[in-house]
Amino acid sequence: MTADVPPPPDPTTAATTADFVRSLIRLKQWAGEPSLSRLRSLGGQTLASDGTTVDALPKSTISHVLRQTGKLPRWDFVQAFVTACYRYRDYPAERIPGEIERWRAARAALAGPAAPASPDPVERPAPVDATAPPERDHAVELLARRVAREEDRARKGMLGGYSLAPVSFGPSAVPGEADGDLHSIGRFFSGLRSRRLLVVGESGAGKTVLAIELVLQLLESFLTSDQRPDDRQMVPVHLNAARWILGCPFEQWLAEQLQRDFGLSENEAVRLVRDRRVLPVVDGLDELDSGPSGPPRRAIGLLTELNRYSDLSGRRPGAVVVTCRADRYTELFEARIGLDDAARIHLHDLTTDQIRAYLQARWPDGHPCGAHRDGIRAALSGPPETAVHMALSTPWRLQLLATAVESGAHPAELLDVDPDRDPREAASRIVRRLLDLYVPAATRLTPRTAPHQPEQVRKWLEHLAAHLSWQAADTKRPPGLTAVDIVPHLLWPIGGRRRVRALHCLACVVLAVIAMLAFWTGSAMDQPDDLTPSEGVTLALMAAWVAIATGLSLSPWPAAAGGRANVPRKRRVIGSLLGALVGLPLGVLGGLAGLVLTSGKVFGLLYATTAGATGGAVLGAVIGLTAAGRRDSERMAVREAVRAEPFTLLGFGLCGALTGLPPLRLAHAGPVPMALGVTGAFALAFALGVVFKITTGGWSRDAELTHPREALHRNPIIGTAFGLTGGVAAFLVFLMNQSVIESLACALVGGVTFGLAFGAIAWCRAMIGLLVAAARGLLPLQLWTFLDWACEARLLRVSGATYQFRHRELQDFLTPPKPSDDTQAHSAQQRLPAL
């Protein structure tokens, strides 16, 4: 401790219990008077005697103990309280165990050798052993594993292997002797007292690669068996800055990203962010604002939020890493906005020696491209060396050159420039040449199962780039959809927004009408010109359901639900069995209620109990199967489910009312039984819809999406489950009017069409959009295979639950010019907003 900082209170001077308690009060004052809530957070959690997890420092316990000067506090409370105070004061972590030992000795001297434990009316957490390792936080370990998996995949997708370009960094843009490299970035960051870092570099300088390397190096202590991270070590998480929404609090956004990209539950994500167990590595601050006009409002907004983001004590800025392009950083600097208390490093251009070393490592002696290596070296030392070096001064552009050469291009042609031309203009011409050759070169070098031609690949990528450009300009896009994210189920506008939505609406109307015709046939309804009043009500309800289905199909941006992944099969089987056991008696009660309302005129007691038990068991089994998830997984509340999709739930209720009408009609029930039966069936179906929404619509809160298309693949499965579950109830009703074969056929047709119209809206929209785009030649029909192949070819990469272009410079190069720039009226960029 320095001379101007007072030392902590000495507990060994306490002669009585009252003195010891006053020492605790002085320690709290010395720490800076942390609030009770902050002490509770810093004190952590422990296990109670019944095995439940409780706070080690409940607020009521702190107040009670510090007021009881005549009672010696328990050691588990003293240990947690002293640790929390030292942590709040930012006391050196390595010295805290020694201070705790002083407090333990002082308390032991007052307690005596055989002092009995005094009764304590407050909550008693289980004793904590100061020498025992900290309790494992399973949420932290789960997050660390998933982050490591994602970053390893991203690293291989960008580099194609394990070799790194010799990127160096330093405190200034000019290389110096104290520079570091990618292999030392983890040690460099760990040595920063503020734990705040701003990485600045030119486009293609390796900012994203450095961010990935930093995350993987910091994760080693979590993943290596012979190392154990301390209980306050943060999990680094690589985040795309472009997904931040202007005006959104950073902590809220960070918790949402943990849920979306890494499948944490809402409570776990909020807790880890609140307890500062997450190190945000925010990549791409420059990508928040598109276009050179106007100030970078979104980047300024995010930096403002990051400057409000504090550490656990609330008295210092929170740990964070931010990467930004050099020109954007200059704009922010001129606007007098920056990342407070952050160390700034600049990524340096590759030197000629570094370029030569990289080529030597990539093409060693005896490599087929070894002869071309000498040609590149000659260009770097010849008359146009300045222009050539400027063109190859970043790892990304060096990758472009290596790919072109390995595909058969000659370096002399690639690097040929007029020595009398301005070096910057000459370097720009080289870069455009390399970008122009990259797609055909990567296409030829990548093994493939589909015979993609380079011209086709480039055309399809251009349409994807044009879609991203339109996506960035669309002010009504879904929150979080950015100018760089290719989301599979949101690519349908490429086929033409109005055209695809109109076709989707038409398809949904057809599916809804087919579902109602199947119900009409299975229920043995009369001809429309000879309807009874009850049949007229049935027809009105059917028309209302078709109208709701049509309205849902016109949704601007249908959302694809996720799904619970990696759930053990045993847990799913148990969930299904429990659901069936619960649903069976409820179904019997429903059958008996129908028997009473129809006065036994349509079916008897045996059919009521058998059909009710069968329907209830099936419904319960499906719900139990889909509800199975990880232990302590987050669930949606009923209010959230109703608020999320009220019209869908209304459609469920109408289908229930339709299903309850045929038995009442056959029994010629009076108005009162008819009203009771229809209302009860409506309420039951509405409740089942809420349950389905909670067990399936809430999947995304508990999902581990291992691939960007995972949610889209599960969407039709969820929709079919919706429909077939309702089809079981319809089948039991149809048996009162039709044979088993006819009833089964009507139930299957109606159930599938109902599910596609109601539960698989996102999938239907995506498929229709893909068919239209493929028919117009804008995208391949096998789009999903093409996207995976493009990632293998390192034209695209996977970023969390989305695809992205390999580099923003490649995306910008492939984006067709806007109509105001030239007369390319046939370009995809023009067509997308117009249709």
Side-chain angles (χ1 to χ4, degrees), residues 562-580:
R564 292 191 174 93
N566 297 334
V567 179
R569 181 178 300 177
K570 179 180 178 181
R571 184 165 296 171
R572 289 199 183 276
V573 173
I574 293 176
S576 181
L577 292 176
L578 291 177

Side-chain angles (χ1 to χ4, degrees), residues 89-163:
R89 187 59 189 259
D90 200 21
Y91 201 77
E94 66 276 6
R95 298 174 59 181
I96 293 179
E99 294 294 326
I100 292 177
E101 178 60 26
R102 287 205 308 157
W103 286 88
R104 188 201 63 77
R107 183 189 178 282
L110 294 173
S118 58
D120 195 341
V122 300
E123 182 180 3
R124 288 178 175 270
V128 179
D129 185 1
T131 62
E135 183 182 355
R136 297 172 59 186
D137 191 324
H138 295 285
V140 169
E141 295 180 354
L142 176 67
L143 179 62
R145 290 196 303 272
R146 292 182 176 177
V147 170
R149 182 197 63 199
E150 291 297 325
E151 295 309 295
D152 179 66
R153 179 170 64 178
R155 189 178 189 271
K156 290 184 175 68
M158 296 186 70
L159 303 177
Y162 298 95
S163 60

Side-chain angles (χ1 to χ4, degrees), residues 143-355:
L143 179 62
R145 290 196 303 272
R146 292 182 176 177
V147 170
R149 182 197 63 199
E150 291 297 325
E151 295 309 295
D152 179 66
R153 179 170 64 178
R155 189 178 189 271
K156 290 184 175 68
M158 296 186 70
L159 303 177
Y162 298 95
S163 60
L164 293 172
V167 177
S168 61
F169 62 86
S172 68
V174 180
E177 295 182 357
D179 294 346
D181 57 21
L182 291 180
H183 299 289
S184 63
I185 183 61
R187 294 193 304 272
F188 175 82
F189 178 79
S190 299
L192 295 177
R193 180 174 178 80
S194 66
R195 295 299 177 92
R196 287 168 73 87
L197 178 65
L198 177 62
V199 182
V200 180
E202 299 293 341
S203 177
K207 299 183 293 297
T208 298
V209 174
L210 180 138
I212 293 174
E213 192 66 19
L214 172 62
V215 169
L216 290 175
Q217 290 181 22
L218 295 179
L219 282 174
E220 288 183 359
S221 59
F222 290 93
L223 306 176
T224 306
S225 57
D226 58 350
Q227 301 184 39
R228 184 178 180 84
D230 61 64
D231 60 342
R232 302 309 310 166
Q233 188 167 344
M234 295 178 289
V235 180
V237 177
H238 191 188
L239 304 166
N240 187 351
R243 294 175 183 162
W244 180 74
I245 304 170
L246 185 63
C248 180
F250 179 72
E251 292 188 43
Q252 174 186 332
W253 177 77
L254 177 56
E256 290 173 353
Q257 299 306 300
L258 296 182
Q259 297 175 64
R260 168 183 167 175
D261 291 343
F262 303 104
L264 295 187
S265 69
E266 181 178 6
N267 287 342
E268 289 174 343
V270 171
R271 178 178 64 83
L272 294 186
V273 173
R274 180 199 64 203
D275 295 345
R276 297 302 187 261
R277 299 304 309 275
V278 178
L279 170 64
V281 181
V282 185
D283 188 19
L285 182 67
D286 49 277
E287 294 181 353
L288 273 166
D289 299 274
S290 58
S293 60
R297 294 177 56 251
R298 297 183 65 205
I300 293 174
L302 179 55
L303 284 177
T304 303
E305 284 293 324
L306 291 176
N307 290 335
R308 295 172 181 163
Y309 182 65
S310 64
D311 70 352
L312 197 58
S313 71
R315 299 185 295 123
R316 286 170 296 275
V320 68
V321 179
V322 178
T323 72
C324 182
R325 207 173 59 233
D327 56 351
R328 180 67 75 198
Y329 169 75
T330 302
E331 294 179 8
L332 294 169
F333 180 80
E334 293 174 352
R336 299 182 181 275
I337 182 71
L339 188 64
D340 294 346
D341 294 336
R344 184 180 69 251
I345 61 174
H346 292 261
L347 298 185
H348 299 149
D349 290 341
L350 298 177
T351 65
T352 300
D353 291 338
Q354 288 175 330
I355 295 174

